[in-house]
Amino acid sequence: MGGLFGGGQTISTSEPRIGAMRVQQSSYGAVLPIVFGRQRIAPSLIWYGDFTPIAHNSSQSSGGKGGGVTSTNTTYTYQTALIMALCEGQITGVGAVWKGNSKYAALADAGGMSLFNGAMAQAAWSYLTSKYPAQAINYPGIAFAAHGSYQLGSSPSLDNHSFEILGAYQFGGGIVDCDPKDVLTALLTSTQYGAGFPAAMLGGMADFSNYCVSGGLFISPALTQQKAANEWISAITDVLNVAPVSADGVLQFVPYADTAQSGNGRTWTPDLTPAYDLTDDDFLDKNQPVLVRQKPKTDAFNSIAIEFTDRVADYNISVIEAKDQGDIELYGLRKDSTVTAHFICDATIATKLAQTRLQRKLYIRNEYEFRLGWRYVRLLPMSIVTLTDAGIGLDRYPVRIISINEASDGELTVVAEEMPIGTASPATYSAQDGSGYTSNHNISPGAANLPMIFELPLALTGGTNQIWAAVSGGADWGGCNVWASLDGATYQRVGQILGRARYGTLNAVVAASTANPDTTNSIVVNLNTDEQMMAASQTDVDAFASLCWADGEVFAYRDAALVTARRYALSYLRRGLYGTAAAAHAAGAQFARLDQAIFKYASSTIRVGSTVHLKFTSFNAYGMAEENLADVTAYTHIINGGLPSGPANLALQMPFTGLSFTAQWSAEAGATGYDVELWAGGVMRSTFTTTATQLTYSLNDAILAGGPWRAFDVKVATLSAGPQSGYAQLSISNPTPAAPAGITSSATVNSITANWNAATDVDWQDYQVHISTISGFTPGAGTLAYTGTANTCTLTGLPGATPHYLRICARDKWGAATLVYSAEIAQSTL
């Protein structure tokens, strides 16, 4: 009625007013996380109060005949006081904060909460002491964030929050993760949250720490579930390739690794000294002293995946997979269960541990079981012993003990596994001497012929640096024992050779070749003994089963023809195998047939650039009359390191159409990393070294390098402890954006307006509009009328009643290109 007398009408609307905060769930006895290093965790709301709805009124008036109408609307936002428990303290701070779908760089940016670091003597929150003193708990040993008027926005519910916790035991020096030694010590000995394990029963942790730190194996566990301490410890040690061992009443952590390493200011050298050299005189079972069991091939997994929290991806779950592509191609994919290792936050560490686990699962297959008397009670799991059992061909063969069971009578049943090294060091403990036998020196074996000592590509050695030796002798020569020294004075016996190797020199020049197979060239070899070179089948040569080495090149042959005594012509050749070059070779260059007669020496003591001294003490065909070590010649070899294969399967992860591209490749055996070069316009623009098997290059990277450019050559080489492989190359370019579609136009007397569909390219930059009064014109600087990001433009100042012609293109952010223009659009001014 008010409108009839000139008054206004008011229409009011209002949101429902919520009187209490909505809590999504309530839990009793929830786990309070324990954080080491730096990790992301979700908090628990442990107190809230003073929930306050805040009204926001807005009005809008509209006039009309007979009176106006005013609309009022009331909305609400909410705030509350709250405490969110983060984890057990004491922590050093909070990094990033995630609130709903937003990420904040620091706690101050995420609503200005106050942090209490979880000290045992921390003060209670002043807000509670002043307003609710009966509820003012200082929460000793609990880190929490608090706010007296936390803004919830238009929802009465608290958004999902998570916090990057800067926890205890960060290693320092830019490394925010922890030395695993500190984590395990705390889990074992802490009386606040650990197992209460007596510190006096925890063995020296220095060796374990040096292993982890020198290898860059840092962790950041967040203990968010209630588990027994041994479950957490087992999960960590299993992934780190370490075994807990109780020795002499104390707990120790012994790495399985067998190669020395340096890094982060630390050096670690494994103790590979055997505790005993065990022979038939030591084993209790005389009929079958050593029982050998081999893990089925189906259990030798060639694909290992580790699930970790990726710090660079906001701690989201990522998976790193290590594969042995060669084994997969031969036997098919055998994938192990994914290992959960959320305490790893770095892809580089996850990659290294996945590869370590792959090698252990795939290459360590044999187990050896034997029984010993009580006098060997000093042996422990992880001890190294050597086994000699002529019945199964073991001669001072090194193995690592993995379990020992002691019977009531003191007899020990020992299970050991093979070790990935090929040497045995002097025993630490004295063992009972065998009665042996008395040699009958009747026929002299004669000295070994001049040996050939060389190194093979890492693809042939399982990724480890190895020295190979071809040795032979005269008619009465039965083989030799091989001795090695790093100082030329103290020698260790490292193996034995039985039978003559087939080696010698090239009889004539061999030309380089790119053919596969090479049916033009023959390789003629002169052997130094009467051993024969047999022809191979087509299947054998195609499977590289007839491998040879000549002057650095690995090749396989099919046909072998005897030319004269000890001279063979090898033809139908598969050349340049395993990353070697099918280059030209001079007459007189070294040659060897790669078979079981070649001696292979792999040891953790081998260092690239160092010199190894080798001696070969010959014995006769009866295994007797061995030469004295002091009487034989020592041969020296400077270790160069095996040649790694160049990266295979270099390709783009997906088409190069966005703001970055990712190149990926297959992992190569023995790789310590990869060298990546980015070329554009025939010039190297950027270079990177990475241990990952992929690299992402962004538009911003190109700009920082002086670009951008549209086309790139990606070159990747494999790095190793020794030489570097050649480069694999991938050429890529970013396609030019398509011409805009859906073009329409309209005109006035002196202007033309054009519209077109918006570009959908992620890397799109802007549009250009060209105009001319000449049909069939070529766009150029003189016809450019508009550059901008809007998909419409009006061109003014044009002559009236005149035909005009428009062509439109889109440009992206990757630099100059041959642009793609639309078909000509005709439009006349009025």
Side-chain angles (χ1 to χ4, degrees), residues 179-226:
D179 179 349
K181 176 262 297 183
D182 296 327
V183 175
L184 297 189
T185 300
L187 288 176
L188 284 165
T189 62
S190 174
T191 56
Q192 178 181 349
Y193 53 76
F197 191 79
M201 296 180 65
L202 187 60
M205 301 283 276
D207 184 73
F208 171 55
S209 176
N210 287 336
Y211 161 71
C212 294
V213 173
S214 64
L217 306 181
F218 298 100
I219 61 175
S220 283
L223 279 55
T224 59
Q225 301 177 29
Q226 187 172 353

Side-chain angles (χ1 to χ4, degrees), residues 67 74 90 105 159 238 278 316 412 540 587 602 606 666 710 728 771:
T74 302
Q90 182 171 346
D159 279 330
D238 178 59
L278 301 175
N316 286 313
L412 306 175
D540 285 343
I606 289 182
S666 299
R710 304 201 63 79
I771 189 168

Side-chain angles (χ1 to χ4, degrees), residues 133-461:
Q135 301 179 42
I137 303 172
N138 68 334
Y139 298 105
I142 298 176
F144 63 89
H147 200 292
S149 55
Y150 195 66
Q151 301 301 313
L152 301 176
S154 59
S155 171
S157 301
L158 185 65
D159 279 330
N160 289 327
H161 285 65
S162 56
F163 296 79
E164 184 182 40
I165 302 299
L166 314 185
Y169 301 112
Q170 294 186 39
F171 187 76
I175 299 174
V176 299
D177 298 311
C178 304
D179 179 349
K181 176 262 297 183
D182 296 327
V183 175
L184 297 189
T185 300
L187 288 176
L188 284 165
T189 62
S190 174
T191 56
Q192 178 181 349
Y193 53 76
F197 191 79
M201 296 180 65
L202 187 60
M205 301 283 276
D207 184 73
F208 171 55
S209 176
N210 287 336
Y211 161 71
C212 294
V213 173
S214 64
L217 306 181
F218 298 100
I219 61 175
S220 283
L223 279 55
T224 59
Q225 301 177 29
Q226 187 172 353
K227 293 182 181 179
N230 70 304
E231 292 186 50
W232 290 111
I233 293 170
S234 295
I236 292 172
T237 55
D238 178 59
V239 172
L240 292 179
N241 200 33
V242 171
V245 175
S246 178
D248 298 326
V250 297
L251 179 62
Q252 300 176 4
F253 296 93
V254 182
Y256 282 97
D258 55 42
T259 303
Q261 58 193 23
S262 296
N264 300 305
R266 301 274 192 92
T267 297
W268 178 77
T269 302
D271 182 4
L272 300 177
T273 306
Y276 292 101
D277 292 324
L278 301 175
T279 67
D280 290 344
D281 295 319
D282 304 301
F283 304 126
L284 296 182
D285 293 319
K286 300 306 180 184
N287 292 330
Q288 191 174 18
V290 179
L291 176 64
V292 183
R293 291 189 295 266
Q294 187 175 76
K295 180 169 60 178
K297 191 67 178 177
T298 54
D299 293 338
F301 299 107
N302 53 28
S303 176
I304 298 292
I306 289 184
E307 182 180 285
F308 70 105
T309 53
D310 194 347
R311 183 173 290 122
V312 299
D314 290 341
Y315 297 89
N316 286 313
I317 301 299
S318 296
V319 175
I320 285 288
E321 190 169 10
K323 295 181 178 180
D324 189 307
Q325 193 61 38
D327 194 81
I328 291 172
E329 291 175 359
L330 286 174
Y331 304 109
L333 179 65
R334 298 183 306 280
K335 192 170 185 177
D336 197 8
S337 301
T338 299
V339 178
T340 301
H342 293 174
F343 48 83
I344 298 173
C345 303
D346 187 297
T348 300
I349 298 173
T351 300
K352 182 174 183 178
L353 292 174
Q355 182 63 33
T356 300
R357 192 175 185 88
L358 172 69
Q359 294 173 185
R360 180 164 176 77
K361 291 278 188 178
L362 185 58
Y363 301 140
I364 300 180
R365 297 181 58 195
N366 292 332
E367 287 187 352
Y368 304 87
E369 182 176 321
F370 47 91
R371 290 194 306 120
L372 300 173
W374 62 267
R375 64 184 179 279
Y376 295 99
V377 73
R378 297 180 67 184
L379 287 175
L380 298 166
M382 300 299 287
S383 293
I384 296 173
V385 297
T386 66
L387 305 180
T388 297
D389 183 353
I392 56 176
L394 298 181
D395 183 8
R396 293 194 69 198
Y397 188 75
V399 296
R400 188 191 302 274
I401 294 175
I402 56 177
S403 69
I404 302 176
N405 290 320
E406 184 177 357
S408 58
D409 59 359
E411 290 185 358
L412 306 175
T413 301
V414 181
V415 177
E417 65 179 20
E418 62 181 329
M419 293 183 62
I421 59 175
T423 184
S425 301
T428 301
Y429 313 135
S430 58
Q432 180 181 352
D433 291 333
S435 59
Y437 59 85
T438 301
S439 296
N440 183 11
H441 296 266
N442 42 19
I443 301 175
S444 172
N449 294 327
L450 180 70
M452 192 175 84
I453 303 170
F454 55 104
E455 296 177 57
L456 269 291
L458 296 177
L460 280 170
T461 64

Side-chain angles (χ1 to χ4, degrees), residues 480-492:
C480 63
N481 286 314
V482 184
W483 304 77
S485 171
L486 294 178
D487 58 10
T490 303
Y491 283 83
Q492 300 175 21

Side-chain angles (χ1 to χ4, degrees), residues 8-80:
Q9 180 182 5
T10 300
I11 302 175
S12 299
T13 59
S14 177
E15 287 183 349
R17 180 179 182 275
I18 308 300
M21 190 171 84
R22 293 173 180 168
V23 178
Q24 296 177 357
Q25 67 178 22
S26 177
S27 300
Y28 177 77
V31 172
L32 195 60
I34 302 170
V35 178
F36 300 90
R38 182 175 291 194
Q39 260 287 8
R40 176 179 175 178
I41 56 97
S44 297
L45 180 68
I46 58 175
W47 182 92
Y48 84 94
D50 294 343
F51 178 82
T52 305
I54 303 172
H56 302 272
N57 297 313
S58 61
S59 63
Q60 182 177 0
S61 299
S62 60
K65 187 175 181 179
V69 177
T70 300
S71 299
T72 64
N73 185 42
T74 302
T75 60
Y76 292 92
T77 59
Y78 303 91
Q79 69 179 34
T80 188

